[in-house]
Amino acid sequence: MRGTRLAASPGGVMRKIILPAGIAARMFLLLIAVSILSFILITESPIDPLTSYVGAESTLSEAAKDEIAAHWGLNDPAPERYLKWAGNLLRGDFGVSITYKRPVIDIIRERFSYSVVLMMIAWALSGVLGFAMGICAGLRRGGVFDKAVKTFCLVLQSAPTFWLGLLALSFFSVTLGWFPIGMAAPIGKPAVDVTFADRAYHLILPVLTLTVASIGKITLYTRQKLIEMMDGNFILFARARGETTGQLTRRHLIRNIALPAVTVQFASFSELFGGMALAETVFSYPGIGTATTAAALNGDVPLLLGIALFSALFVFAGNLIANILYGVLDPGLKAGGDYV
Amino acid sequence: MSEERASARQGEPDRTILSVRNLGISFGMYQKGLKRTFLPVIRSLCLDVRAGEILAVIGSSGSGKSLLAHAILGILPGNAAVSGEIRYRGETLTKRRRERYRGTEIMLIPQSPDYLDPLMRVGKQVVGTHGDKAKLREAFARYGLAPETERMYPFKLSGGMARRVLISTALVGDPKLIIADEPTPGLSAELAKGTFAHFREMADNGVAVLLITHDVDLALGFSDRIAALYAGTTMEIAPTSDFRAGKNALRHPYSKAFIDALPQNGFRPIAGAQPYAGDLPEGCLFAGRCPERTDECAGAAPIRRLRGGEVRCIHAT
């Protein structure tokens, strides 16, 4: 009732405009903050953009180097350099990558398309499997399966992604020879000849690694929530009204736990991003992760800054979706309308 | 009204639906490391409810009233240890029988709206897994809940509506025993009275009603017998008429003090507080506050029959 009244009133119309505007403003503020912070970090780091550009063993004369530095504005004060860079960003100019000698925006676009596939599959798989595992473990709390799941998750939580990746590589690719040892397509095959099957085949191990690396959190979270909820009043009442454990699970538990679990899973976008960077590097998968590593190793300032901004955007999107879904799944919040 | 029925019942066969004998509930707790101790919250609790009557269970907060309800239904938390015997229609209420009867014959009316699943529409929830829709409509109509209520989520219900929804849950099956745990807080005086009247009507139709309540006035008005609980045990069970007649008709010093403390009887409290479950005295649990205490009260105080009721006091006459 409250919701309909709001939508019908002028206030409801205002809300429809103000809400997206508020989100956009928040996103913009976030990007400004991230850009300032990454800019400061880069300028304070030992990376010298000039050396990165011309190479450490360059035969260029000092005078020529000074000229390039002056041309790039490297001697200007930091705030001025930041504003200049930010102004270019606003015009869509992210600069040119030193590593790849191509516009940063092109590289990010291309690399993201590879990474998004990897991340989304691993994200969905870890979410669905982790949720199911958490429910099963929580329902048989203290049982063999529960103990196994708990141990498995705690070990995984503390295992670094790159180590899992190396383990998977050495076992499945080297020892068993089931999977390729890296890349996104067969080596030496022309890009036009690469089939969907080739791509999928090369994705399996990185996806597996990333899924396993990020499944622990959601599993343990779901398990914990379920255990808490089992003692909750509405579960007690449903049980007192003759519902079996199976009915309790289907009718009450899954929906009530899915709500916070989905939020946790979306909010873990940031960790997924970190895990992806490591997994990609181990598997030489040509996504944004390997680009980040390459950019960092080569002191590729424009690319690093560009990636930092896009990662922030990505994580922001994850959290935003979590908030919106919260409203969709929880009827109480939907009517209130203040969930974003 | 209740007196006639009570006397008419004398010659009949056993109509006991629920019988609780020496019920004990304790909670296992870990103290200082791994030492496990048991906190006895309820002990030697005895009562029975017959078909066609309302047994009101009264007693101060913390006397174990809700736990009694949860123990009968088998929904105590995992760290609770239960002793004693609960019989339903002459049979020991085993885990299997409990699973068969709850939701079909034994109905719980819980004490607060957060016993409803916040993410399930009210109608679907009230019908549950054993109820039927026609009975739901009937119950809603009886309690003045509009048909739209079925489509609502619990957060949209007002306090009074939520209460009525909870009470409706007991009517979607074929109840033989209704355990109502504080069903009236949050209801208007009118509606609370209506609720009790409805319990009365159900009882008159043969249902056994175990009514756990703080509302002593309504209990006095609508119940057949009253069980007074103190520190997790039954102190006295007596016909409601005795409670209505005043302290001289009662048997136990606690129920006498209880009656004295009612507003209409001058609000006279007695000194002291209910003992903490972890620190119970030997012998009679009420001895610490009892005006008629003697040295013998430190010994065992078994429950015994007296003047058509039951009392746990060695001095009661």
Side-chain angles (χ1 to χ4, degrees), chain B:
Chain B
M1 47 182 173
S2 45
E3 288 95 309
E4 293 91 335
R5 234 194 348 272
S7 53
R9 219 192 275 118
Q10 295 290 306
E12 289 179 22
D14 187 18
R15 284 167 55 89
T16 304
I17 294 284
L18 177 80
S19 152
V20 176
R21 285 293 126 198
N22 288 317
L23 179 70
I25 303 173
S26 48
F27 286 94
M29 299 202 305
Y30 287 99
Q31 282 187 333
K32 282 183 205 146
L34 292 174
K35 206 178 136 211
R36 195 161 192 221
T37 54
F38 278 91
L39 193 67
V41 186
I42 284 188
R43 36 184 225 185
S44 335
L45 195 152
C46 302
L47 53 80
D48 50 87
V49 196
R50 300 168 203 143
E53 78 163 359
I54 297 180
L55 174 76
V57 176
I58 59 172
S60 48
S61 303
S63 56
K65 301 192 296 291
S66 290
L67 286 178
L68 166 67
H70 288 197
I72 296 167
L73 286 152
I75 54 170
L76 289 169
N79 63 336
V82 181
S83 61
E85 192 181 35
I86 301 175
R87 295 172 80 85
Y88 173 70
R89 298 216 277 165
E91 299 169 326
T92 302
L93 203 49
T94 55
K95 185 169 183 284
R96 197 196 213 119
R97 290 204 182 103
R98 250 186 209 115
E99 280 164 7
R100 173 157 20 119
Y101 293 132
R102 55 191 183 191
T104 53
E105 292 189 7
I106 305 181
M107 301 295 200
L108 172 73
I109 298 176
Q111 60 172 312
S112 86
D114 56 77
Y115 281 77
L116 292 174
D117 182 343
L119 299 185
M120 190 184 268
R121 290 186 198 275
V122 166
K124 190 175 175 198
Q125 195 157 182
V126 171
V127 170
T129 45
H130 296 292
D132 77 63
K133 202 126 197 195
K135 283 190 171 174
L136 159 93
R137 301 240 156 92
E138 206 177 296
F140 273 20
R142 153 161 250 146
Y143 285 111
L145 292 164
E148 299 92 81
T149 316
E150 284 178 43
R151 306 267 318 141
M152 288 182 180
Y153 285 100
F155 77 97
K156 285 209 173 173
L157 303 174
S158 69
M161 282 168 87
R163 280 288 156 201
R164 286 177 277 159
V165 165
L166 289 175
I167 295 167
S168 309
T169 60
L171 303 179
V172 295
D174 179 24
K176 299 236 179 337
L177 170 65
I178 289 182
I179 300 169
D181 187 3
E182 304 275 8
T184 50
L187 289 185
S188 66
E190 193 79 7
L191 220 50
K193 205 169 168 190
T195 306
F196 271 63
H198 188 59
F199 286 137
R200 181 72 263 162
E201 193 191 320
M202 287 195 268
D204 291 344
N205 286 328
V207 176
V209 181
L210 178 69
L211 182 57
I212 295 166
T213 183
H214 268 125
D215 199 325
V216 181
D217 286 336
L218 286 176
L220 286 174
F222 288 93
S223 68
D224 298 291
R225 291 188 302 140
I226 291 181
L229 255 57
Y230 182 79
T233 193
T234 347
M235 288 299 175
E236 175 167 358
I237 304 176
T240 303
S241 54
D242 287 359
F243 277 83
R244 275 198 294 263
K247 58 190 286 191
N248 294 329
L250 290 173
R251 296 148 192 82
H252 198 286
Y254 171 67
S255 27
K256 290 180 184 181
F258 193 96
I259 289 299
D260 263 352
L262 292 180
Q264 60 268 40
N265 297 333
F267 251 141
R268 284 189 302 276
I270 52 165
Q274 187 169 251
Y276 166 63
D279 188 25
L280 293 181
E282 290 291 309
C284 177
L285 297 177
F286 187 62
R289 302 169 78 183
C290 185
E292 291 158 45
R293 174 185 59 237
T294 61
D295 289 346
E296 290 94 70
C297 293
I303 196 157
R304 61 193 171 96
R305 296 194 174 279
L306 184 69
R307 291 191 279 116
E310 285 172 78
V311 65
R312 189 186 293 280
C313 174
I314 51 172
H315 299 302
T317 50

Side-chain angles (χ1 to χ4, degrees), chain A:
Chain A
M1 263 156 69
R2 217 172 119 215
T4 35
R5 210 184 307 130
L6 272 176
S9 71
V13 179
M14 287 295 282
R15 161 165 266 148
K16 280 208 176 98
I17 301 165
I18 287 172
L19 211 60
I23 294 170
R26 248 182 289 172
M27 188 179 81
F28 199 67
L29 282 176
L30 174 82
L31 288 180
I32 291 177
V34 169
S35 64
I36 293 179
L37 207 68
S38 4
F39 192 83
I40 294 175
L41 283 173
I42 292 276
T43 46
E44 292 303 312
S45 77
I47 294 177
D48 176 15
L50 190 61
T51 317
S52 313
Y53 183 64
V54 298
E57 281 140 36
S58 158
T59 51
L60 231 55
S61 70
E62 283 304 311
K65 283 185 181 172
D66 284 346
E67 216 168 296
I68 296 174
H71 176 68
W72 279 359
L74 287 180
N75 302 322
D76 299 343
E80 202 174 300
R81 278 186 286 157
Y82 171 75
L83 286 177
K84 201 169 168 191
W85 173 64
N88 287 337
L89 287 188
L90 286 178
R91 285 197 302 275
D93 178 7
F94 281 72
V96 175
S97 159
I98 295 169
T99 322
Y100 301 97
K101 314 282 188 251
R102 282 166 56 205
V104 165
I105 196 79
D106 291 353
I107 293 166
I108 290 179
R109 193 179 297 136
E110 179 190 307
R111 293 301 182 114
F112 245 110
S113 68
Y114 278 94
S115 294
V116 160
V117 178
L118 168 62
M119 272 192 293
M120 285 304 110
I121 298 178
W123 180 83
L125 268 183
S126 66
V128 172
L129 291 178
F131 187 75
M133 261 164 62
I135 296 269
C136 293
L139 285 175
R140 288 175 197 79
R141 185 186 182 185
V144 180
F145 182 72
D146 181 37
K147 280 181 182 145
V149 164
K150 224 166 88 179
T151 316
F152 175 70
C153 289
L154 288 174
V155 168
L156 288 181
Q157 283 282 73
S158 25
T161 311
F162 72 88
W163 179 75
L164 287 175
L166 287 176
L167 217 61
L169 255 189
S170 65
F171 185 66
F172 291 108
S173 299
V174 179
T175 311
L176 295 176
W178 288 358
F179 295 105
I181 53 161
M183 319 303 281
I187 300 171
K189 199 168 183 179
V192 283
D193 295 341
V194 174
T195 59
F196 178 77
D198 285 335
R199 291 284 308 271
Y201 183 50
H202 282 76
L203 258 176
I204 293 177
L205 269 196
V207 161
L208 180 83
T209 305
L210 198 52
T211 304
V212 168
S214 47
I215 205 170
K217 187 176 178 185
I218 187 73
T219 308
L220 291 177
Y221 181 85
T222 305
R223 176 186 172 277
Q224 189 56 36
K225 269 279 158 204
L226 183 117
I227 288 169
E228 275 168 32
M229 217 165 268
M230 283 304 258
D231 291 332
N233 283 340
F234 67 87
I235 294 298
L236 278 188
F237 185 42
R239 199 185 281 285
R241 299 188 68 214
E243 292 193 21
T244 61
T245 306
Q247 286 166 329
L248 284 178
T249 311
R250 277 194 305 279
R251 289 165 53 91
H252 308 287
L253 291 169
I254 287 184
R255 191 171 166 133
N256 275 284
I257 298 171
L259 188 62
V262 162
T263 319
V264 162
Q265 188 66 354
F266 270 103
S268 69
F269 260 32
S270 55
E271 284 150 59
L272 185 73
F273 206 88
M276 173 210 65
L278 294 169
E280 284 188 357
T281 307
V282 171
F283 292 99
S284 321
Y285 186 83
I288 204 84
T290 34
T292 314
T293 323
L297 289 175
N298 293 324
D300 190 344
V301 175
L303 186 53
L304 269 182
L305 288 175
I307 290 173
L309 283 182
F310 274 91
S311 328
L313 210 59
F314 183 75
V315 174
F316 179 85
N319 290 336
L320 182 69
I321 295 171
N323 286 352
I324 292 173
L325 274 183
Y326 219 107
V328 173
L329 289 171
D330 188 332
L333 282 173
K334 187 158 52 185
D338 287 331
Y339 47 86
V340 183

